[in-house]
Amino acid sequence: MKNSLMKVKKVIEIEVPDLGKRIKKAREASARSLTDLCAAAGMTTANWYRIESEDTKSLPIETLRKIEEVLGVNFGVQFDD
């Protein structure tokens, strides 16, 4: 008999007030240019600006963690499981 595997996916979303504004404030306080930050985070400047303006429906946690890493900050976003 063939062994088969099935993936089960769990998606959790939380709302984080003013996260885009907080990201922008941290970026403006950084000595690094937006181009450098985007290169380090692996994203385009257009995507970064969409995040700051909160012109996106959701932000993957992996992207947020990259932004935190390149800015050297922790925005305190946690999921309670």
Side-chain angles (χ1 to χ4, degrees):
M1 181 174 210
K2 180 182 173 187
N3 260 350
S4 61
L5 299 174
M6 181 182 299
K7 293 181 181 180
V8 177
K9 185 176 185 178
K10 180 179 179 182
V11 177
I12 301 171
E13 293 183 350
I14 59 172
E15 292 184 1
V16 182
D18 298 321
L19 182 59
K21 291 177 185 177
R22 292 167 49 204
I23 291 171
K24 181 176 181 177
K25 185 176 179 180
R27 174 184 57 83
E28 290 174 342
S30 171
R32 298 172 71 182
S33 71
L34 177 61
T35 304
D36 288 343
L37 293 169
C38 289
M43 68 174 62
T44 65
T45 55
N47 190 39
W48 190 292
Y49 281 132
R50 274 193 297 277
I51 293 167
E52 285 186 351
S53 67
E54 298 182 8
D55 190 25
T56 183
K57 293 190 185 288
S58 64
L59 178 63
I61 191 66
E62 297 83 9
T63 303
L64 176 61
R65 296 302 182 228
K66 287 180 187 177
I67 291 170
E68 289 177 328
E69 182 181 333
V70 300
L71 289 172
V73 298
N74 180 336
F75 293 110
V77 177
Q78 299 295 324
F79 293 90
D80 296 327
D81 277 291

